């Protein structure tokens, strides 16, 4: 008997696939919807290889209300949603803002409408630390707590703030309506998870981040430099007020991040808090140059980079204060930056074509052996 059934939007993407794995490992059934715009169905095979269970999959765009309605109708046991589906590149969001608002904000409204029609009342939303903008503008806000004033500096961050507002308004309205009608209302809940820079891969080396186009995030780009697919890494600005002039970010291993989503879902189901925001991060800030050095150490050679101008909307420091999640969700990061670099390199070195190749036989044998030991 499953603990519950969860719809994961964007579930074949990087964080979505790892969260699906965590859900399946913890007794949930999972239904995925994904447009496959920036992901691959091969992620489903890797999930099954690792945990022995396969999520149900539908190729549906988050803006397709009829498509979502159809999925909810086919799976009346879905009681919660974890919502990842979105466009996610900060730089690109400034170039095509209308598309970001259409997909991210419009898609989230479409999802909530479909959920309401089918009486699905719990949503865990994949928000972002970009909602805070430049937290250094306010004294005493680094590391960033949840009560830091919101102030995004780019379109991507703006979409996340809007979606947080829409979810909050929706959940609160449904609670009020039910209360007024004398009906149960506590089943309507939302978690807003603001997280920082996910990185790493599965320690088996057979599951990781596989963006379909040019990756926008630091570690996947470093991976492509290490394999020779890219000549060098572009470092956007070395004139920040940090110890080495590069921007500071809070890197979190994707396995820790996935367990944070699971913890938030369990909290909603058990505590029924209404709408709550939590930061998911390590609380440790690392500069871009420190990350290049850490990954170079794992690879065994210095990786070439070139400093260029800052990107529009980038800020100095996005380091989390995760104390609230540590306390309320009983969750904290367990894996280090070094773990993330080692796991990423194992993934990239063995799967230079990502999911467009079969996983290496040697890694599959090791995975089989480790599962046999566990059993």
């Amino acid at each position: 008997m499953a603990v519950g059934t969860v719809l994961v939007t964007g579930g074949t993407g990087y964080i979505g696939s790892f969260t699906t794995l965590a859900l399946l490992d913890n007794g949930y059934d999972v239904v995925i919807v994904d447009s496959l715009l920036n992901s691959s169905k091969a992620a489903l095979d890797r999930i099954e290889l690792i945990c022995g269970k396969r999520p149900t999959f539908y190729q549906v765009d988050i803006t397709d209300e009829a498509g979502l309605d159809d999925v909810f109708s086919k799976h009346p046991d879905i009681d919660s949603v974890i919502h990842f589906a979105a466009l996610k590149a900060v730089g690109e969001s400034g170039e095509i803002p209308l598309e970001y608002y259409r997909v991210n904000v419009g898609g989230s409204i479409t999802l909530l409408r479909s959920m309401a029609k089918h009486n699905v009342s719990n949503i865990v939303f994949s928000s972002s630390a970009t909602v805070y903008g430049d937290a250094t503008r306010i004294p005493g806000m680094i590391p960033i707590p949840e009560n830091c004033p919101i102030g995004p500096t780019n379109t991507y961050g703006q979409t996340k703030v809007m979606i947080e507002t829409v979810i909050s308004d929706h959940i609160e309205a449904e609670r009020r309506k039910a209360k007024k009608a004398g009906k149960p209302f506590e089943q309507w809940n939302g978690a807003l998870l603001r997280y920082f820079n996910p990185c790493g891969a599965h320690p088996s080396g057979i599951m990781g981040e596989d963006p379909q186009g040019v990756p926008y995030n630091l570690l996947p780009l470093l991976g492509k430099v290490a394999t020779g697919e890219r000549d060098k890494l572009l470092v956007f600005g070395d004139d920040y007020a940090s110890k080495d002039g590069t921007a500071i970010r809070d890197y979190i291993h994707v396995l820790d991040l996935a367990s944070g989503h699971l913890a938030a879902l369990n909290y909603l189901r058990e505590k029924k808090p209404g709408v709550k925001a939590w930061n998911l991060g390590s609380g440790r800030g690392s500069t871009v140059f420190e990350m290049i050095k850490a990954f170079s150490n794992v690879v065994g050679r210095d990786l070439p980079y070139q400093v260029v101008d800052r990107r529009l909307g980038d800020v100095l420091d996005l380091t989390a204060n995760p104390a609230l999640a540590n306390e309320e969700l009983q969750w904290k990061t367990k894996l280090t930056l070094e773990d993330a670099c080692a796991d990423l390199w194992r993934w990239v070195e063995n799967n230079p074509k990502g999911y467009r190749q079969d996983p290496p036989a040697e890694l599959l044998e090791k995975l089989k052996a480790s599962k046999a030991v566990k059993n």
Side-chain angles (χ1 to χ4, degrees):
M1 183 73 180
V3 178
T5 302
V6 183
L7 178 74
V8 179
T9 75
T12 53
Y14 179 39
I15 308 164
S17 60
F18 277 88
T19 300
T20 296
L21 184 61
L23 289 165
L24 292 169
D25 273 340
N26 285 275
Y28 283 94
D29 284 341
V30 178
V31 178
I32 289 174
V33 293
D34 201 304
S35 69
L36 301 178
L37 176 72
N38 192 31
S39 62
S40 165
K41 268 174 82 171
L44 305 171
D45 302 328
R46 306 303 172 96
I47 290 166
E48 188 174 11
L49 278 171
I50 292 167
C51 76
K53 299 174 195 169
R54 190 177 184 89
T56 304
F57 173 79
Y58 296 93
Q59 186 170 349
V60 175
D61 192 278
I62 197 64
T63 60
D64 177 2
E65 192 164 341
L68 293 172
D69 285 343
D70 189 43
V71 172
F72 282 117
S73 296
K74 283 177 178 162
H75 298 273
D77 46 350
I78 292 170
D79 55 49
S80 305
V81 172
I82 303 184
H83 177 33
F84 294 101
L87 301 174
K88 62 171 192 173
V90 168
E92 183 187 61
S93 74
E95 293 161 15
I96 50 168
L98 290 182
E99 189 64 359
Y100 270 69
Y101 288 119
R102 183 187 75 81
V103 173
N104 294 9
V105 182
S108 299
I109 292 168
T110 299
L111 173 66
L112 289 166
R113 280 167 55 92
S114 191
M115 285 172 66
K117 275 185 260 178
H118 296 87
N119 214 28
V120 178
S121 53
N122 285 325
I123 183 165
V124 175
F125 172 53
S126 162
S127 191
S128 167
T130 57
V131 300
Y132 298 118
D134 184 5
T136 59
R137 74 192 188 278
I138 304 148
M141 286 290 170
I142 300 289
I144 304 168
E146 287 84 354
N147 64 352
C148 176
I150 299 298
T153 57
N154 54 64
T155 299
Y156 171 71
Q158 292 278 19
T159 68
K160 293 293 187 182
V161 172
M162 288 181 183
I163 299 162
E164 285 195 5
T165 305
V166 170
I167 289 171
S168 301
D169 286 355
H170 169 63
I171 297 295
E172 284 158 16
E174 291 296 337
R175 283 188 154 224
R176 274 195 311 274
K177 270 191 295 189
K179 213 171 182 179
K180 197 174 176 184
K183 294 177 180 173
F185 63 90
E186 290 186 329
Q187 71 274 25
W188 293 95
N189 300 286
L192 313 174
L193 300 184
R194 297 169 181 166
Y195 45 86
F196 291 73
N197 289 58
C199 57
H202 195 271
S204 67
I206 71 160
M207 185 168 154
E209 184 169 12
D210 185 32
Q212 301 301 292
V214 177
Y216 284 89
N217 297 336
L218 176 61
L219 272 171
L221 282 167
L222 276 172
K224 289 195 178 293
V225 174
T227 57
E229 203 176 315
R230 293 180 76 83
D231 295 338
K232 62 194 170 192
L233 177 80
L234 298 181
V235 176
F236 297 104
D238 64 352
D239 56 348
Y240 287 97
S242 65
K243 55 188 163 190
D244 59 25
T246 60
I248 301 163
R249 295 292 179 265
D250 185 341
Y251 293 90
I252 175 173
H253 197 296
V254 68
L255 291 181
D256 282 330
L257 188 53
S259 75
H261 285 77
L262 176 68
L265 175 65
N266 289 338
Y267 189 94
L268 293 191
R269 289 164 58 98
E270 289 162 22
K271 308 282 188 190
K272 300 177 170 44
V275 182
K276 288 217 63 162
W278 288 284
N279 286 341
L280 298 183
S282 69
R284 300 180 304 269
S286 305
T287 68
V288 174
F289 282 160
E290 285 173 333
M291 285 300 297
I292 295 171
K293 189 176 177 191
F295 194 66
S296 295
N297 286 344
V298 168
V299 175
R301 65 179 189 281
D302 288 340
L303 299 173
Y305 65 85
Q306 179 189 346
V307 176
V308 295
D309 290 342
R310 292 186 187 192
R311 277 186 309 198
L312 179 72
D314 272 349
V315 298
L316 163 65
D317 194 336
L318 282 178
T319 304
N321 182 343
L324 192 66
N326 296 165
E327 182 193 335
E328 292 186 344
L329 301 181
Q330 297 295 296
W331 169 91
K332 59 169 55 176
T333 58
K334 294 176 182 171
L335 298 160
T336 65
L337 189 60
E338 290 69 29
D339 292 327
C341 288
D343 289 341
L344 176 70
W345 180 231
R346 191 178 301 109
W347 159 249
V348 169
E349 188 180 27
N350 288 286
N351 305 270
K353 292 180 181 163
Y355 291 142
R356 291 171 293 284
Q357 64 168 76
D358 290 332
E362 184 192 341
L363 294 184
L364 287 175
E365 284 304 316
K366 280 184 185 169
L367 178 65
K368 229 180 272 178
S370 73
K371 281 164 84 172
V373 168
K374 275 183 197 170
N375 296 334

